[in-house]
Amino acid sequence: MAATQTARERARAELTREIKDEARRQLAEVGALGLSLRAVARELGMVSSALYRYFSSREELLTALIVDAYNAVGEAAEAADDPKKTSLERWESIWHAVRAWAKAHPHEYALIYGSPIPGYQAPQDTVAPAGRVAFALVAVLRDANLRIETEVGDIPVALHHQLDALTGILKINLAPETASRLIMAWTQLFGMINFELFGQYVGSVDPADDFFAHGIRQMAEFTGIKMTG
């Protein structure tokens, strides 16, 4: 009985993977807004009622794709980090890995960092995967001998409370100034990738390789990572 159940579980996992693979293919053709469970079922030769036994709604399928995408880019960031390297090298490796993943998977990247999907509200399940890139960067800052040399003024009281609450929830020991700068750098990372993938650099810094590499170092210095390690 146990062996039969295991075989069923394997079959279910395989079909779940096929459903998500077909959904990703459709993302490339019609985007998240055009994704349809009926169309996915049709392409897989299934009746739609059978597919609903795997994903009860389009929103549930979207959530699965979003979680997969966040985990994939997070894994790319984590795999690129080598604690034996200098802090600057680690920082650069993570940024380059995230950009490389985004360029290799533009439609999945757009799903998580592009325009919001009308009518879709991401559930709590997406929060932890969404933070994996940030946590990879936190690991670098935590191990680095930070030296902030540029001043941006005092942190407003309300922001200070927000940062204290955030670092408490995430159980990370970062000073409010460092946490604030990390969020700015994190925003800059995806902002530069968005501009590149969505064609906003055409006519200016296209191709964006040198600009991106320069931005990495600017943000490293901004967060306090020394250029010599």
Side-chain angles (χ1 to χ4, degrees):
M1 184 68 178
T4 302
Q5 185 63 36
T6 300
R8 288 176 181 173
E9 290 173 351
R10 287 200 300 269
R12 183 178 181 86
E14 176 62 21
L15 188 49
T16 299
R17 183 190 63 77
E18 291 179 8
I19 291 169
K20 291 194 290 186
D21 285 346
E22 174 57 29
R24 292 187 190 96
R25 190 188 68 77
Q26 291 194 20
L27 279 179
E29 293 185 354
V30 299
L33 192 59
L35 183 64
S36 161
L37 285 182
R38 289 183 180 275
V40 170
R42 183 173 59 250
E43 290 299 319
L44 291 176
M46 301 171 62
V47 294
S48 56
S49 59
L51 191 145
Y52 279 98
R53 291 199 290 268
Y54 293 83
F55 295 98
S56 62
S57 65
R58 173 177 170 273
E59 287 67 31
E60 186 178 335
L61 177 55
L62 278 170
T63 297
L65 298 178
I66 287 168
V67 168
D68 283 354
Y70 276 133
N71 278 327
V73 69
E75 287 169 7
E78 292 159 3
D81 185 20
D82 182 354
K84 295 190 293 294
K85 293 183 177 180
T86 67
S87 297
L88 178 59
E89 289 170 337
R90 294 173 65 188
W91 181 267
E92 290 176 323
S93 294
I94 291 171
W95 281 56
H96 282 302
V98 172
R99 179 182 180 232
W101 183 89
K103 294 179 72 172
H105 305 87
H107 303 292
E108 292 171 66
Y109 179 88
L111 179 64
I112 53 178
Y113 292 113
S115 300
I117 304 167
Y120 174 80
Q121 182 67 42
Q124 191 70 20
D125 295 354
T126 63
V127 174
R132 289 181 67 171
V133 172
F135 272 107
L137 296 174
V138 166
V140 176
L141 296 184
R142 188 176 54 228
D143 296 341
N145 181 20
L146 300 178
R147 184 180 62 214
I148 294 175
E149 297 181 348
T150 56
E151 296 297 330
V152 293
D154 294 333
I155 296 177
V157 174
L159 175 58
H160 201 294
H161 291 323
Q162 288 175 331
L163 295 170
D164 283 343
L166 177 63
T167 53
I169 291 171
L170 298 179
K171 296 181 173 59
I172 54 177
N173 185 23
L174 289 180
E177 174 71 8
T178 303
S180 174
R181 288 171 183 253
L182 170 63
I183 293 172
M184 292 180 197
W186 185 43
T187 305
Q188 185 71 11
L189 166 60
F190 291 109
M192 289 195 297
I193 293 173
N194 278 20
F195 262 51
E196 182 177 9
L197 287 189
F198 303 145
Q200 299 301 317
Y201 285 147
V202 174
S204 56
V205 289
D206 181 39
D209 296 5
D210 289 343
F211 179 73
F212 191 82
H214 179 67
I216 293 173
R217 287 184 161 247
Q218 290 289 304
M219 287 295 100
E221 186 171 12
F222 178 70
T223 55
I225 295 174
K226 296 182 290 185
M227 293 298 99
T228 56

